[in-house]
Coordinates of all heavy atoms in Angstrom, one line a residue:
F403 N 9.4 14.8 20.1 CA 9.7 13.7 20.9 C 8.5 13.1 21.6 O 8.5 12.1 22.3 CB 10.7 14.1 22.0 CG 12.1 14.1 21.5 CD1 12.7 15.3 21.0 CD2 12.9 13.0 21.5 CE1 14.0 15.3 20.6 CE2 14.2 13.0 21.1 CZ 14.8 14.1 20.6
G404 N 7.3 13.8 21.5 CA 6.0 13.3 22.1 C 5.7 11.9 21.6 O 6.1 11.5 20.5
G405 N 4.9 11.2 22.5 CA 4.6 9.8 22.2 C 3.9 9.5 20.9 O 4.2 8.6 20.2
T594 N 15.0 6.3 36.7 CA 14.9 7.2 35.5 C 13.5 7.6 35.3 O 12.6 7.0 35.7 CB 15.4 6.3 34.3 OG1 16.7 5.9 34.5 CG2 15.3 7.1 33.0
H595 N 13.4 8.8 34.8 CA 12.1 9.4 34.3 C 12.3 10.0 32.9 O 13.3 10.7 32.7 CB 11.6 10.4 35.3 CG 10.4 11.1 34.7 ND1 9.1 10.6 34.8 CD2 10.2 12.3 34.1 CE1 8.3 11.4 34.2 NE2 8.9 12.5 33.8
I596 N 11.4 9.7 32.0 CA 11.5 10.2 30.7 C 10.2 10.8 30.3 O 9.1 10.1 30.4 CB 11.9 9.2 29.6 CG1 13.2 8.5 30.0 CG2 12.0 9.8 28.2 CD1 13.6 7.3 29.1
S597 N 10.1 12.1 29.9 CA 8.8 12.6 29.5 C 9.1 14.0 28.8 O 10.2 14.4 28.6 CB 7.9 12.9 30.6 OG 8.3 14.0 31.4
N598 N 8.0 14.6 28.4 CA 8.1 16.0 27.8 C 7.9 17.1 28.9 O 7.7 18.2 28.6 CB 7.1 16.1 26.7 CG 5.6 15.8 27.2 OD1 5.4 15.6 28.3 ND2 4.7 15.6 26.2
F599 N 8.1 16.7 30.2 CA 8.1 17.7 31.3 C 6.9 18.6 31.3 O 7.1 19.8 31.4 CB 9.4 18.4 31.3 CG 10.5 17.6 31.9 CD1 10.9 16.4 31.3 CD2 11.3 18.0 33.0 CE1 11.9 15.6 31.8 CE2 12.3 17.2 33.5 CZ 12.6 16.0 32.9
R600 N 5.7 18.1 31.0 CA 4.5 18.9 31.1 C 3.8 18.6 32.4 O 4.1 17.6 33.1 CB 3.6 18.6 29.9 CG 4.3 18.8 28.6 CD 3.4 19.2 27.5 NE 4.3 19.5 26.4 CZ 4.7 20.7 26.0 NH1 4.3 21.7 26.6 NH2 5.6 20.8 25.0
E601 N 2.9 19.5 32.8 CA 2.2 19.4 34.1 C 1.6 18.0 34.3 O 1.6 17.5 35.4 CB 1.1 20.5 34.1 CG 1.0 21.1 35.5 CD -0.2 22.1 35.5 OE1 -0.2 22.9 34.6 OE2 -1.0 22.0 36.4
V602 N 1.0 17.5 33.2 CA 0.3 16.2 33.3 C 1.2 15.1 33.8 O 0.8 14.1 34.4 CB -0.3 15.9 31.9 CG1 0.7 15.5 30.9 CG2 -1.3 14.8 32.0
K603 N 2.6 15.3 33.7 CA 3.5 14.2 34.1 C 3.8 14.3 35.6 O 4.5 13.4 36.1 CB 4.8 14.3 33.3 CG 4.6 14.3 31.8 CD 4.2 12.9 31.4 CE 3.9 12.8 29.9 NZ 3.5 11.6 29.4
R604 N 3.4 15.3 36.3 CA 3.6 15.5 37.7 C 5.1 15.3 38.1 O 5.5 14.5 38.9 CB 2.7 14.6 38.5 CG 1.2 14.9 38.4 CD 0.3 14.1 39.2 NE 0.6 14.3 40.7 CZ -0.3 15.0 41.5 NH1 -1.4 15.5 41.0 NH2 0.0 15.1 42.7
I605 N 5.9 16.2 37.5 CA 7.4 16.1 37.7 C 7.8 16.3 39.1 O 8.6 15.6 39.6 CB 8.1 17.2 36.7 CG1 7.8 16.9 35.3 CG2 9.6 17.2 37.0 CD1 8.3 15.6 34.7
V608 N 7.9 13.1 40.9 CA 9.1 12.3 40.5 C 10.2 12.6 41.5 O 10.8 11.7 42.1 CB 9.6 12.5 39.1 CG1 10.8 11.7 38.8 CG2 8.5 12.2 38.1
I624 N 17.9 10.0 37.0 CA 18.2 10.6 35.7 C 16.9 11.1 35.1 O 15.9 10.3 34.9 CB 18.9 9.5 34.8 CG1 20.2 9.0 35.5 CG2 19.2 10.1 33.4 CD1 20.9 8.0 34.7
M625 N 16.9 12.3 34.8 CA 15.7 13.0 34.2 C 15.9 13.3 32.7 O 16.8 14.1 32.4 CB 15.4 14.3 34.9 CG 15.2 14.1 36.4 SD 13.6 13.4 36.8 CE 12.5 14.8 36.6
V626 N 15.2 12.6 31.8 CA 15.4 12.8 30.4 C 14.2 13.5 29.8 O 13.0 13.1 30.0 CB 15.6 11.4 29.7 CG1 15.9 11.6 28.2 CG2 16.6 10.6 30.4
G627 N 14.5 14.6 29.0 CA 13.4 15.3 28.3 C 13.5 16.8 28.6 O 14.3 17.2 29.4
E628 N 12.6 17.5 27.9 CA 12.6 18.9 28.0 C 11.1 19.4 28.1 O 10.3 18.7 27.5 CB 13.2 19.6 26.7 CG 14.7 19.6 26.6 CD 15.4 20.4 27.6 OE1 14.7 21.2 28.3 OE2 16.6 20.2 27.8
G629 N 10.9 20.5 28.7 CA 9.5 21.0 28.8 C 9.4 22.0 29.9 O 10.4 22.3 30.6
P630 N 8.2 22.6 30.0 CA 8.1 23.7 31.0 C 8.4 23.4 32.4 O 8.7 24.3 33.2 CB 6.6 24.2 30.8 CG 6.0 23.1 30.0 CD 7.0 22.4 29.2
E631 N 8.3 22.1 32.8 CA 8.4 21.8 34.2 C 9.9 21.5 34.6 O 10.2 21.1 35.7 CB 7.6 20.5 34.5 CG 6.1 20.7 34.5 CD 5.6 21.6 35.6 OE1 5.8 21.2 36.8 OE2 4.9 22.6 35.3
R632 N 10.8 21.6 33.6 CA 12.2 21.2 33.9 C 12.8 22.2 34.9 O 13.5 21.8 35.9 CB 13.0 21.1 32.6 CG 14.5 20.9 32.9 CD 15.3 20.6 31.8 NE 16.7 20.7 32.2 CZ 17.8 20.3 31.5 NH1 17.6 19.8 30.3 NH2 19.0 20.4 32.0
G652 N 18.1 16.4 29.4 CA 17.5 17.0 28.2 C 17.0 15.9 27.3 O 17.0 14.7 27.6
N653 N 16.5 16.3 26.1 CA 16.0 15.4 25.1 C 17.1 14.4 24.6 O 18.2 14.8 24.5 CB 15.4 16.1 23.9 CG 14.0 16.6 24.2 OD1 13.3 16.1 25.0 ND2 13.7 17.7 23.5
S654 N 16.7 13.2 24.4 CA 17.8 12.2 23.9 C 17.2 11.3 22.9 O 16.1 10.9 22.9 CB 18.2 11.4 25.1 OG 19.1 10.4 24.7
V657 N 17.5 6.8 24.2 CA 16.7 6.4 25.3 C 17.0 4.9 25.7 O 17.1 4.6 26.9 CB 15.2 6.5 24.9 CG1 14.3 5.7 25.9 CG2 14.8 8.0 25.0
F667 N 11.9 2.7 36.7 CA 11.3 3.9 36.0 C 10.2 4.4 36.7 O 9.3 3.7 37.2 CB 10.9 3.4 34.6 CG 10.5 4.5 33.6 CD1 11.5 5.2 33.0 CD2 9.2 4.8 33.4 CE1 11.2 6.2 32.1 CE2 8.9 5.8 32.5 CZ 9.9 6.5 31.9
L668 N 10.1 5.8 36.9 CA 9.0 6.4 37.6 C 8.1 7.1 36.6 O 8.6 7.9 35.7 CB 9.6 7.4 38.6 CG 10.3 6.9 39.8 CD1 10.8 8.1 40.7 CD2 9.3 6.0 40.7
L669 N 6.8 6.9 36.7 CA 5.9 7.6 35.8 C 4.6 8.0 36.6 O 3.6 7.3 36.6 CB 5.5 6.7 34.6 CG 4.8 7.5 33.4 CD1 5.7 8.6 32.8 CD2 4.5 6.5 32.3
P670 N 4.7 9.0 37.4 CA 3.5 9.4 38.3 C 2.5 10.3 37.7 O 1.9 11.1 38.3 CB 4.2 10.1 39.5 CG 5.4 10.7 38.9 CD 5.8 10.0 37.6
S671 N 2.2 10.1 36.4 CA 1.4 11.0 35.6 C -0.1 11.1 36.2 O -0.6 10.2 36.7 CB 1.2 10.5 34.1 OG 2.5 10.3 33.6
E674 N -2.6 9.4 31.5 CA -1.7 8.7 30.5 C -2.5 7.7 29.8 O -3.0 6.7 30.3 CB -0.6 8.0 31.3 CG 0.7 7.7 30.6 CD 1.5 8.9 30.3 OE1 2.0 9.6 31.2 OE2 1.6 9.3 29.1
A679 N 6.4 5.5 27.3 CA 7.7 5.5 28.0 C 7.8 4.3 29.0 O 8.9 3.7 29.1 CB 7.8 6.8 28.8
A680 N 6.7 4.0 29.6 CA 6.7 2.8 30.6 C 7.0 1.5 29.8 O 7.8 0.7 30.2 CB 5.4 2.7 31.3
E682 N 8.6 1.3 26.9 CA 10.0 1.3 26.5 C 10.9 0.8 27.7 O 11.9 0.1 27.5 CB 10.4 2.6 26.0 CG 9.7 3.0 24.6 CD 10.1 4.3 24.0 OE1 10.5 5.2 24.7 OE2 10.1 4.3 22.7

Side-chain angles (χ1 to χ4, degrees):
F403 280 93
T594 301
H595 170 80
I596 304 173
S597 76
N598 51 14
F599 283 58
R600 304 210 173 260
E601 215 184 311
V602 69
K603 304 291 175 183
R604 292 185 66 105
I605 300 296
V608 177
I624 301 181
M625 301 287 279
V626 185
E628 286 292 348
E631 294 288 307
R632 176 174 167 168
N653 281 330
S654 173
V657 163
F667 190 79
L668 289 178
L669 196 60
S671 308
E674 203 70 67
E682 291 186 328

